[in-house]
Structures are given as structure tokens and as C-alpha cells.
Amino acid sequence: MFTPDLLVRPADDANAELVALVHPPGWQNPRAASSYDLIAVGGGTAGLVAAVGAAGLGAKVAIIERHLLGGDCLNTGCVPSKAIIRSSRVIGEWRRAPGLGVLLGEPVVDFGTVMQRMRLRRRGIAKHDSAKRLASLGIDVFFGSARFVDRRTLNVDGQQLRFGRAVIASGGRAAAPPIPGLDTVPFLTNETLFSLTELPSRLAIIGAGPIGCEMAQTFARFGSEVTVFDQGLQILARDAADAAQVVRHQLEAEGVRFELGVKIERVGQTGEDIRVYYFRNGRNTVTATNVAADALLIAAGRAPNIEDLDCPAAGIATDRQGVVVNDRLQTTNRRVFASGDVCSRFKFTHAADAMSRIVIQNALFFGRRKASALVIPWVTYTDPELAQVGITDADVASSGGRYATVTVPLSDVDRAVVDDDTEGFVRVHHERGRVRGCTIVAPHAGEMIGEAVYVITHGGTLADLSATIHPYPTVAEALRKAGDAYRRQALTPFVRRLLTYYFAW
């Protein structure tokens, strides 16, 4: 049986208070009601939004969680990672201080205090996801492993829970790639990384995606010697190549070593060292070598949490990616829906939130909202940040001229110039002026991308961005500049001749 204190380390007051909120020791599951309007299977973002939203509308709701309420986001994902990234940004600013005319002494990173601060902030946020709060909203909170008995019944802790509708929101977990020897060495994932109390002198990371890059920069700033491995030739493979290159250049300048385009042969342990053995195929040669590390972080993919649900008993189809759903997030059992990481290629908290809002409407009110209509951005929280929404450079290149692009380098933005933040850009993809996508590489790209998301969601245009007054000086003014650039492009030679005649007249 799951014991929360075994998952949450170290055993300090902050973590004890966290567990008391999101999996209270000694919690007694309520006696199941005769039937529920909605049961949420999973207490992460997707399940919480569905349960709280439905209960707020007057539905009889239950939520089932086998580990910790709040899911990955609160406990092992967004919250703890951004907390330690915040500490690392101070180091980034310190390194830039002399160029800004400020001379500072050598900083000392107290890693134990950094992690303690993270745990305190996580505990402070946990109250929003607490069992007590959910119960106060009229939600029946069950801790235990959920299993489908039939198309309308779930079993948890020996009780049978009948439902009119259910939503599978069981999320996902870090996937360990099939690397020989991996099962013989200790390794970290996002589920265990934030339990560290001592800074590893040498950190090896397998995976150059968002988690790998964020943690590479963070730990390098704290003082670790970091090496990142990936079989691809580009970091952040889902993003535009030149945008990813800006991030890579910054991380390399801070000491992160990238080994890209490599195949990991095996991992092993020699004394206290964890060794990653890999080779690279050259034009005429194969180069084999290895890197020694004190800690190994696996940041190479996710797997859905569906094994224990017995989905076939409820007539629910699954595949390697998770639960199979239609565009209305309905499974092959018309009474059961799914939301979040367990069914979506967008593994983000905000995506899970948006999908669960669709589930509430479609499951309880016969709605017909489609997940494909959602405009979902994503952000990699390196420094600079990289944010993306909508179509990408690859979509533009393969569109046969349907889409076009306007790019504004930060070197053309006054605020970026005075802040010495000119390594980046704002790029807007459009279809005859109507905004279809946006890529931003900038210190606060995650804060800026929301404007582009709004414009795309509401069918806005580059002309709308041009006509929107942005405060000066801000980096967000680059979006207006993109609109201005598009409007200048509209001044064709023919239009210019007409204007020449007009002013002559």
C-alpha cells in the first residue's frame, strides 16, 4: 500500500505539512454514495479542475487519488522546478552584473537552503489542492487505487462507486528508456530530483527536452558540472531550430556541455562514479567514449498511468500513448471521458486545466466542445525562455506559400537593448495577416506569449497587434513591431504609386 512519507523526502517539517494537506495520514475514506454524477480518477490538475468545477455546479462528485493530491505539477513538476529555477536566476543576474556596472562579491550557493525554500513554497501552494478543501466543497475524497469493475462502476479500497459520468485523469510518469545497465545504477527522474539535499558535483542528463534543459542550466548555475545527452542533433526538438540555438548558446556559455546526435551504449558504475558510455557516428568513423557523473537524471519521455485501471472491464480502449479519446475527450465508453497527460500530447498543467473544462461541459451538459479547438502554448523556462503557440517554422515551410512569417529581433526592441537582452526574437506566423502561430525567445517569453494566444483564439490579425498600444519601453512591444512590419509589407509598389499621386494632388 502507498505510504506518502516514503515518496516525500527529506523528512522535514515542510514535507510533513505537505503530506498532511495532500494525503493526510489516517484519512478515512467516506462511505460511497449510491451514485455520483461525476467521478474523477486522479487528483492532479486534470482531476481537480473537473471535480471542483462539477461540484461548483451542484453535481455529486467524488475524486480518487492513489498518491498525492496536486499530482506531478504540485509535487514533482511545475512548482518545485520553478522554485529552484528562481534561485538560479540570481546567479545569472550576478554573472551579468559587471557588464551593467555593478561589482559584486563571489556568490555562495547554499543548496540545502535552496531546496528547503522550494519545499516551503510547495507547502504554501498545497492548501489549494488539499483533501480538506475538496471535502469542504462537497467532494467525496477517496485515497487508494481505482479499478473499473464494469462500464459504470469503479472499485477503490473495497468500495463500489457507481457513476453517471467519469473522467480518467490519472496522468503520467517519467519513462526510463531501454538503456542497458540502467537498472543497475541509481538514477533520478523528476519524481526524485527534488528530494536532493546535496548538490551533485557532476550531473549527467539524458534528454535535451524542456526538463533536461531547464535543470541543466539550473544545476550548472548552482555549480554542478553538467553534461546533457540526446540522440537528436537539436535541443528542444519541438521548437524552431534558431530559437533552440539561442537557448543552447546561452547554456553552453554557462558551462553546460551537450553531447548531441549520440547513441548511449550503456550505463554502469565504477566505484562512486556513474558512467555513461556512448558513441557518435562520424562521416567515416565511429567515436566511442564515456562520461563520469555523481548523479544521473533521466528526462527522456513519459508513460501514461493506466496499468492498474483495468480499462477493458469498462470497454475503454487504450494504446501506448494512454487512453484513446475522440475530439470531445470521450473514450470508447460513452460515459467515460479523459483529460490531461493520460490522453493528450500536450503534457502541460494549463492543457490539463483547459481539457477538464471541456469535459465538464461535454460530460454533464451534453456539450459538443472540441479539444482540437484549444489554442495551447508551451514554455521552456530556461534563461532566456522559449515560448511557442500555434503553427511552427516547419508548418510554414511545408505550406506551399499559404503561411508567411514576420520576425522582430530583440536587437530592434529598445527595452531589450537597454537591458542587454538582445539575444532572441519575436516571430509571428500568419495567413494573409491573420495570426496562426508565434515563437518568442526572450527573458520573459512565458509572460508575453499570452497576448499571442489571445489573438489566435479570437481570430485576431497582425493589424490588431499593430493597433494595440503597448507601453514603452517593454519587450512586449516587439509584438506591435511585428504588426507594423506586416502593415509596411502591405504597401506594395502599386499602393505606393497611388499614394504618390494622392499627395501630389
Coordinates of all heavy atoms in Angstrom, one line a residue, residues 262-320:
V262 N 24.0 11.4 -30.4 CA 24.8 10.3 -29.9 C 23.9 9.1 -29.6 O 22.7 9.3 -29.3 CB 25.6 10.6 -28.6 CG1 26.6 11.8 -29.0 CG2 24.7 11.0 -27.5
K263 N 24.4 7.9 -29.5 CA 23.7 6.8 -29.1 C 24.3 6.3 -27.8 O 25.5 6.0 -27.8 CB 23.7 5.7 -30.1 CG 22.9 4.4 -29.7 CD 22.9 3.4 -30.8 CE 22.2 2.1 -30.3 NZ 20.8 2.3 -29.8
I264 N 23.5 6.1 -26.8 CA 24.0 5.7 -25.5 C 24.1 4.1 -25.6 O 23.1 3.5 -25.7 CB 23.2 6.1 -24.3 CG1 23.2 7.7 -24.3 CG2 23.6 5.6 -23.0 CD1 22.3 8.3 -23.2
E265 N 25.3 3.6 -25.4 CA 25.5 2.2 -25.5 C 25.1 1.5 -24.2 O 24.4 0.5 -24.3 CB 27.0 1.9 -25.7 CG 27.4 0.5 -25.8 CD 28.9 0.2 -26.0 OE1 29.6 1.2 -25.8 OE2 29.2 -0.9 -26.2
R266 N 25.4 2.1 -23.1 CA 25.1 1.5 -21.8 C 25.4 2.5 -20.7 O 26.1 3.5 -20.9 CB 25.8 0.2 -21.5 CG 27.3 0.3 -21.5 CD 28.0 -1.1 -21.5 NE 29.4 -0.9 -21.6 CZ 30.3 -0.8 -20.6 NH1 29.8 -0.8 -19.3 NH2 31.6 -0.7 -20.8
V267 N 25.0 2.2 -19.5 CA 25.4 2.9 -18.3 C 25.9 1.9 -17.3 O 25.5 0.8 -17.3 CB 24.3 3.8 -17.7 CG1 23.8 4.9 -18.7 CG2 23.1 3.0 -17.3
G268 N 26.8 2.3 -16.4 CA 27.3 1.4 -15.4 C 27.9 2.2 -14.3 O 27.9 3.5 -14.3
Q269 N 28.5 1.5 -13.3 CA 29.0 2.2 -12.2 C 30.4 1.7 -11.9 O 30.7 0.5 -11.9 CB 28.1 2.0 -10.9 CG 28.5 2.9 -9.8 CD 27.3 3.0 -8.8 OE1 26.3 2.4 -8.9 NE2 27.4 3.9 -7.8
T270 N 31.4 2.6 -11.7 CA 32.7 2.3 -11.3 C 33.1 3.0 -10.0 O 33.3 4.2 -10.0 CB 33.7 2.7 -12.5 OG1 33.3 2.2 -13.7 CG2 35.1 2.3 -12.1
G271 N 33.1 2.2 -9.0 CA 33.3 2.8 -7.7 C 32.1 3.8 -7.4 O 31.0 3.4 -7.4
E272 N 32.4 5.0 -7.1 CA 31.4 6.0 -6.8 C 30.9 6.7 -8.1 O 29.9 7.4 -8.0 CB 31.9 7.1 -5.8 CG 32.3 6.6 -4.5 CD 31.1 6.0 -3.7 OE1 30.1 6.7 -3.8 OE2 31.3 5.0 -3.1
D273 N 31.5 6.4 -9.2 CA 31.2 7.1 -10.4 C 30.1 6.4 -11.2 O 30.1 5.1 -11.4 CB 32.4 7.2 -11.4 CG 33.4 8.2 -10.8 OD1 33.1 9.0 -9.9 OD2 34.5 8.2 -11.3
I274 N 29.1 7.1 -11.7 CA 28.1 6.6 -12.7 C 28.7 7.0 -14.0 O 29.0 8.1 -14.3 CB 26.7 7.2 -12.5 CG1 26.2 6.8 -11.1 CG2 25.8 6.8 -13.6 CD1 24.9 7.6 -10.8
R275 N 28.8 6.0 -14.9 CA 29.4 6.2 -16.2 C 28.4 6.0 -17.3 O 27.6 5.0 -17.3 CB 30.6 5.3 -16.5 CG 31.8 5.7 -15.6 CD 33.1 5.1 -16.0 NE 34.2 5.6 -15.3 CZ 34.9 6.7 -15.6 NH1 34.6 7.4 -16.7 NH2 35.9 7.2 -14.9
V276 N 28.4 7.0 -18.2 CA 27.5 6.9 -19.4 C 28.4 6.6 -20.6 O 29.3 7.5 -21.0 CB 26.7 8.2 -19.6 CG1 25.9 8.1 -20.9 CG2 25.9 8.6 -18.4
Y277 N 28.2 5.5 -21.2 CA 29.0 5.1 -22.4 C 28.2 5.4 -23.6 O 27.1 4.9 -23.8 CB 29.4 3.6 -22.3 CG 30.2 3.2 -21.1 CD1 29.6 2.9 -19.9 CD2 31.6 3.1 -21.2 CE1 30.4 2.6 -18.8 CE2 32.4 2.8 -20.1 CZ 31.8 2.5 -18.9 OH 32.5 2.2 -17.8
Y278 N 28.8 6.1 -24.6 CA 28.1 6.5 -25.8 C 29.0 6.5 -27.0 O 30.3 6.5 -26.8 CB 27.4 7.8 -25.6 CG 28.4 9.0 -25.3 CD1 28.7 9.8 -26.4 CD2 29.0 9.2 -24.1 CE1 29.6 10.9 -26.2 CE2 29.8 10.3 -23.9 CZ 30.1 11.1 -24.9 OH 31.0 12.1 -24.7
F279 N 28.5 6.5 -28.2 CA 29.3 6.7 -29.4 C 28.5 7.6 -30.3 O 27.3 7.8 -30.3 CB 29.6 5.4 -30.0 CG 28.4 4.5 -30.4 CD1 27.8 4.7 -31.7 CD2 27.9 3.5 -29.6 CE1 26.8 3.9 -32.1 CE2 26.9 2.8 -30.0 CZ 26.3 3.0 -31.2
R280 N 29.3 8.2 -31.2 CA 28.8 9.1 -32.2 C 29.3 8.7 -33.6 O 30.5 8.3 -33.8 CB 29.4 10.6 -31.9 CG 28.9 11.6 -33.0 CD 29.5 12.9 -32.7 NE 29.0 13.6 -31.5 CZ 29.6 13.6 -30.4 NH1 30.8 13.1 -30.2 NH2 29.0 14.2 -29.3
N281 N 28.4 8.6 -34.5 CA 28.7 8.2 -35.9 C 29.2 9.4 -36.7 O 28.5 10.4 -36.9 CB 27.5 7.6 -36.6 CG 27.2 6.2 -36.1 OD1 28.1 5.4 -35.9 ND2 25.9 6.0 -35.9
G282 N 30.5 9.4 -37.1 CA 31.0 10.4 -37.9 C 30.8 10.1 -39.4 O 30.2 9.1 -39.7
R283 N 31.4 10.9 -40.3 CA 31.3 10.6 -41.7 C 31.9 9.3 -42.0 O 31.4 8.5 -42.8 CB 31.9 11.7 -42.5 CG 31.8 11.5 -44.0 CD 32.2 12.8 -44.7 NE 31.3 13.9 -44.5 CZ 31.4 15.1 -45.0 NH1 32.4 15.4 -45.8 NH2 30.5 16.0 -44.7
N284 N 33.1 9.0 -41.5 CA 33.8 7.8 -41.8 C 34.2 7.0 -40.6 O 34.9 5.9 -40.7 CB 35.1 8.0 -42.6 CG 34.7 8.7 -44.0 OD1 33.9 8.2 -44.7 ND2 35.4 9.9 -44.2
T285 N 33.9 7.5 -39.4 CA 34.3 6.8 -38.2 C 33.2 6.8 -37.1 O 32.2 7.5 -37.2 CB 35.5 7.6 -37.5 OG1 35.1 8.9 -37.2 CG2 36.7 7.7 -38.5
V286 N 33.4 5.9 -36.2 CA 32.6 5.8 -35.0 C 33.4 6.1 -33.8 O 34.4 5.4 -33.5 CB 31.9 4.4 -34.9 CG1 31.1 4.4 -33.6 CG2 31.0 4.1 -36.1
T287 N 33.1 7.2 -33.1 CA 33.8 7.6 -31.9 C 33.1 7.1 -30.6 O 32.0 7.5 -30.4 CB 34.0 9.1 -31.9 OG1 34.6 9.5 -33.1 CG2 34.9 9.5 -30.7
A288 N 33.8 6.3 -29.8 CA 33.2 5.9 -28.5 C 33.9 6.5 -27.4 O 35.1 6.6 -27.4 CB 33.3 4.3 -28.5
T289 N 33.2 6.9 -26.4 CA 33.8 7.4 -25.2 C 32.8 7.3 -24.0 O 31.7 6.7 -24.2 CB 34.1 8.9 -25.4 OG1 34.9 9.4 -24.3 CG2 32.9 9.8 -25.6
N290 N 33.1 7.9 -22.9 CA 32.2 7.8 -21.7 C 32.4 9.1 -20.9 O 33.4 9.8 -20.9 CB 32.4 6.6 -20.9 CG 33.7 6.5 -20.2 OD1 33.9 7.0 -19.1 ND2 34.7 5.9 -20.9
V291 N 31.4 9.4 -20.0 CA 31.4 10.5 -19.1 C 31.1 10.0 -17.7 O 30.2 9.2 -17.6 CB 30.4 11.6 -19.6 CG1 30.2 12.6 -18.4 CG2 30.9 12.3 -20.8
A292 N 31.8 10.4 -16.7 CA 31.6 10.1 -15.4 C 30.8 11.1 -14.7 O 30.9 12.3 -14.9 CB 32.9 9.9 -14.6
A293 N 29.9 10.7 -13.8 CA 29.0 11.6 -13.1 C 28.7 11.1 -11.7 O 28.9 9.9 -11.4 CB 27.7 11.8 -13.8
D294 N 28.3 12.0 -10.8 CA 27.9 11.7 -9.5 C 26.4 11.4 -9.4 O 25.9 10.7 -8.5 CB 28.3 12.8 -8.5 CG 29.7 13.1 -8.5 OD1 30.5 12.2 -8.1 OD2 30.1 14.2 -8.9
A295 N 25.7 11.9 -10.3 CA 24.2 11.7 -10.4 C 23.8 11.7 -11.8 O 24.3 12.4 -12.7 CB 23.5 12.8 -9.6
L296 N 22.7 10.9 -12.1 CA 22.2 10.8 -13.4 C 20.7 11.1 -13.4 O 19.9 10.5 -12.6 CB 22.4 9.3 -13.9 CG 21.7 8.9 -15.3 CD1 22.3 9.7 -16.4 CD2 21.9 7.4 -15.5
L297 N 20.3 12.0 -14.3 CA 18.9 12.4 -14.4 C 18.3 11.9 -15.7 O 18.9 12.2 -16.8 CB 18.7 13.9 -14.3 CG 17.4 14.5 -14.6 CD1 16.3 14.0 -13.6 CD2 17.4 16.1 -14.6
I298 N 17.2 11.2 -15.6 CA 16.6 10.7 -16.8 C 15.4 11.7 -17.1 O 14.5 11.8 -16.4 CB 16.0 9.3 -16.7 CG1 17.2 8.3 -16.3 CG2 15.3 8.8 -18.0 CD1 18.2 8.2 -17.4
A299 N 15.5 12.3 -18.3 CA 14.5 13.3 -18.7 C 14.1 13.0 -20.2 O 14.2 13.9 -21.0 CB 15.0 14.7 -18.5
A300 N 13.7 11.8 -20.4 CA 13.6 11.3 -21.8 C 12.2 10.6 -22.0 O 12.1 9.5 -22.3 CB 14.7 10.4 -22.2
G301 N 11.1 11.4 -21.8 CA 9.8 10.8 -22.1 C 9.0 10.5 -20.9 O 9.4 10.5 -19.8
R302 N 7.7 10.3 -21.3 CA 6.7 10.0 -20.2 C 5.9 8.7 -20.6 O 5.8 8.3 -21.8 CB 5.7 11.2 -20.1 CG 6.3 12.5 -19.9 CD 6.7 12.7 -18.5 NE 5.5 12.8 -17.6 CZ 5.6 12.8 -16.3 NH1 6.8 12.7 -15.7 NH2 4.5 12.9 -15.5
A303 N 5.3 8.1 -19.6 CA 4.4 7.0 -19.8 C 3.1 7.2 -19.1 O 3.1 7.8 -18.0 CB 5.1 5.7 -19.3
P304 N 2.0 6.8 -19.7 CA 0.7 7.0 -19.0 C 0.4 6.1 -17.9 O 0.8 4.9 -17.9 CB -0.3 6.8 -20.2 CG 0.4 5.8 -21.0 CD 1.8 6.1 -21.0
N305 N -0.3 6.6 -16.9 CA -0.7 5.8 -15.7 C -2.0 5.1 -16.0 O -3.1 5.6 -15.6 CB -0.8 6.6 -14.4 CG 0.6 7.2 -14.0 OD1 1.6 6.5 -14.1 ND2 0.6 8.4 -13.5
I306 N -2.0 3.9 -16.6 CA -3.2 3.2 -16.9 C -3.2 1.8 -16.5 O -4.3 1.1 -16.6 CB -3.6 3.3 -18.4 CG1 -2.4 2.8 -19.3 CG2 -3.9 4.8 -18.8 CD1 -2.7 2.8 -20.8
E307 N -2.1 1.2 -16.1 CA -1.9 -0.2 -15.9 C -2.9 -0.8 -15.0 O -3.4 -1.9 -15.1 CB -0.5 -0.5 -15.5 CG 0.6 -0.3 -16.5 CD 1.0 1.2 -16.6 OE1 0.5 2.0 -15.7 OE2 1.9 1.5 -17.4
D308 N -3.2 -0.1 -13.9 CA -4.0 -0.7 -12.8 C -5.5 -0.3 -12.9 O -6.3 -0.8 -12.0 CB -3.5 -0.1 -11.4 CG -2.0 -0.5 -11.2 OD1 -1.6 -1.6 -11.7 OD2 -1.3 0.2 -10.5
L309 N -5.9 0.4 -13.9 CA -7.3 0.8 -14.0 C -8.2 -0.3 -14.6 O -9.4 -0.2 -14.4 CB -7.4 2.0 -14.9 CG -6.8 3.3 -14.4 CD1 -6.9 4.5 -15.4 CD2 -7.4 3.8 -13.1
D310 N -7.7 -1.3 -15.2 CA -8.5 -2.3 -15.9 C -9.5 -1.7 -16.8 O -10.7 -1.9 -16.7 CB -9.2 -3.2 -14.9 CG -9.7 -4.5 -15.5 OD1 -9.4 -4.7 -16.7 OD2 -10.3 -5.3 -14.8
C311 N -9.0 -0.9 -17.7 CA -9.9 -0.2 -18.7 C -10.7 -1.1 -19.5 O -11.9 -0.8 -19.8 CB -9.0 0.8 -19.6 SG -8.4 2.2 -18.7
P312 N -10.2 -2.3 -19.9 CA -11.0 -3.2 -20.7 C -12.3 -3.6 -20.0 O -13.4 -3.8 -20.7 CB -10.1 -4.4 -21.0 CG -8.8 -3.8 -20.9 CD -8.8 -2.8 -19.9
A313 N -12.3 -3.7 -18.7 CA -13.5 -4.0 -18.0 C -14.7 -3.0 -18.2 O -15.8 -3.3 -18.0 CB -13.2 -4.2 -16.5
A314 N -14.3 -1.8 -18.5 CA -15.3 -0.7 -18.8 C -15.4 -0.4 -20.3 O -16.1 0.5 -20.6 CB -14.9 0.5 -18.0
G315 N -14.8 -1.3 -21.1 CA -14.9 -1.0 -22.5 C -14.2 0.2 -23.0 O -14.6 0.9 -24.0
I316 N -13.1 0.5 -22.4 CA -12.3 1.7 -22.7 C -11.0 1.3 -23.4 O -10.2 0.5 -22.9 CB -11.9 2.5 -21.4 CG1 -13.2 2.9 -20.7 CG2 -11.0 3.7 -21.7 CD1 -13.0 3.4 -19.3
A317 N -10.8 1.8 -24.6 CA -9.7 1.5 -25.4 C -8.4 2.3 -25.0 O -8.6 3.5 -24.7 CB -9.9 1.7 -26.9
T318 N -7.3 1.6 -25.0 CA -6.0 2.3 -24.7 C -5.0 1.9 -25.7 O -5.1 1.0 -26.5 CB -5.5 1.9 -23.3 OG1 -5.2 0.5 -23.3 CG2 -6.5 2.2 -22.2
D319 N -3.9 2.7 -25.8 CA -2.8 2.4 -26.6 C -1.5 2.8 -25.9 O -1.6 3.2 -24.7 CB -2.9 3.1 -28.0 CG -3.0 4.6 -27.9 OD1 -2.6 5.2 -26.9 OD2 -3.4 5.2 -28.9
R320 N -0.4 2.8 -26.5 CA 0.9 3.2 -25.9 C 0.9 4.6 -25.3 O 1.6 4.9 -24.4 CB 2.1 3.0 -26.8 CG 2.3 1.5 -27.2 CD 3.5 1.4 -28.1 NE 4.7 1.9 -27.5 CZ 5.9 2.1 -28.2 NH1 6.0 1.7 -29.4 NH2 6.9 2.5 -27.5

